[in-house]
Amino acid sequence: MYYDKLIYLTILRFRRNRLFLQKALFKVLGLIVMGYILTMLVYLGLYLPDIISALNPNANVVEKLNGGLLFIFVFDLAQRSFFQKLPSIVIKPLLTLPVPKQQLVNYLITTSLAQWSNLLYFLVLIPFVYKTFPLYYEWWQAVLYVSCFVGFIAINHFGMVCIRLLALRYFLFRGLPFGIAILILIAQANKWAAIKDYSEYFFNFTLQYEGIIILTVLIAGIYGLILSAQKLLHRALYFDIL
């Protein structure tokens, strides 16, 4: 019941700013640049099958892409430690609003997934799936594949939220994603082919009926991470460590 009020107050706070016109101009310019980038990502998704086919003639381009997904998700987790906006930063200006803190926490955690960094992947994935899956698979496999991809992105997102909230109190968690990325790069240098084969073998399951099991596990993991993030953010507010 409070979500509509939070959205309205956020827009109102932006409009009351004395630099509203200047910020609006920068917003327009930013949207133009962003529109160009988004268009290029869509084109990348459309031409990615041709690039993979040129490098691997007569190969299933989806399976070849699966061979690199593990590295993509690990890199995604590492870059989030630097660029992902933490809900604890967004929540500070909203603490003075007449809204219960628990409702505020739930709102920010659940809506934090709608970030540009998360949406950019799908500007490449959806055109790729649209162009390639009719050649190799049925429609339900495309839905299952995209759903599992969304699940892995959400796991990375909410997992990073939990890690960065834990890092507010425990120094050890601050370098955890970067450390994981370093270990993967070391393993990549030594056993690139083995990791690539494992990635392809695992993500090919998302194209079969076993993918339903993977998707179920992902949904359960996402739900657990959301609950953990809500508790951690509420605890951070309680102990005033933001």
Side-chain angles (χ1 to χ4, degrees):
M1 63 179 293
Y2 291 101
Y3 288 177
D4 55 340
K5 294 181 180 178
L6 287 170
I7 295 173
Y8 171 74
L9 290 172
T10 302
I11 296 174
L12 188 62
R13 183 168 57 90
F14 174 73
R15 292 185 62 184
R16 284 180 175 177
N17 194 302
R18 59 188 180 87
L19 299 178
F20 170 74
L21 292 178
Q22 182 178 351
K23 288 187 175 182
L25 178 61
F26 282 117
K27 285 284 185 180
V28 172
L29 294 176
L31 287 175
I32 294 174
V33 175
M34 180 61 68
Y36 175 78
I37 295 175
L38 299 184
T39 303
M40 292 299 102
L41 289 175
V42 172
Y43 274 108
L44 175 61
L46 290 173
Y47 287 103
L48 186 58
D50 299 330
I51 298 172
I52 297 177
S53 297
L55 297 175
N56 304 274
N58 302 321
N60 186 320
V61 295
V62 178
E63 293 181 356
K64 291 300 178 182
L65 178 66
N66 289 344
L69 284 184
L70 179 61
F71 301 105
I72 292 175
F73 288 129
V74 170
F75 172 78
D76 174 70
L77 181 64
Q79 64 89 18
R80 287 176 186 274
S81 61
F82 300 101
F83 301 110
Q84 180 171 311
K85 186 181 295 185
L86 191 62
S88 60
I89 297 175
V90 182
I91 200 173
K92 284 184 178 181
L94 303 177
L95 291 176
T96 58
L97 301 178
V99 179
K101 287 186 178 180
Q102 188 61 48
Q103 294 287 341
L104 193 58
V105 167
N106 295 343
Y107 168 78
L108 289 175
I109 292 296
T110 53
T111 58
S112 65
L113 186 61
Q115 295 182 2
W116 281 110
S117 58
N118 294 328
L119 301 177
L120 293 179
Y121 290 101
F122 301 102
L123 292 176
V124 179
L125 179 66
I126 298 302
F128 176 85
V129 170
Y130 174 78
K131 186 174 182 178
T132 58
F133 270 67
L135 303 176
Y136 302 102
Y137 306 105
E138 299 181 14
W139 68 268
W140 65 267
Q141 292 173 298
V143 173
L144 185 60
Y145 186 78
V146 173
S147 300
C148 289
F149 193 96
V150 173
F152 283 110
I153 292 296
I155 287 287
N156 274 3
H157 174 83
F158 292 114
M160 180 54 61
V161 170
C162 292
I163 289 173
R164 294 189 64 183
L165 286 172
L166 285 169
L168 294 174
R169 299 187 65 184
Y170 306 103
F171 181 78
L172 177 64
F173 287 92
R174 297 184 181 181
L176 183 61
F178 187 73
I180 293 174
I182 292 296
L183 291 176
I184 292 295
L185 288 175
I186 294 174
Q188 172 182 336
N190 295 329
K191 298 182 179 180
W192 165 267
I195 297 176
K196 179 176 177 293
D197 292 340
Y198 173 77
S199 175
E200 183 175 336
Y201 177 78
F202 175 78
F203 286 104
N204 282 346
F205 279 120
T206 62
L207 299 166
Q208 306 170 20
Y209 288 110
E210 291 85 350
I212 299 176
I213 300 176
I214 297 175
L215 182 59
T216 304
V217 174
L218 287 172
I219 293 174
I222 293 167
Y223 181 71
L225 287 172
I226 290 175
L227 292 180
S228 299
Q230 290 174 349
K231 291 180 180 179
L232 288 169
L233 184 53
H234 194 270
R235 185 179 301 175
L237 290 172
Y238 180 79
F239 288 103
D240 194 23
I241 58 176
L242 294 179

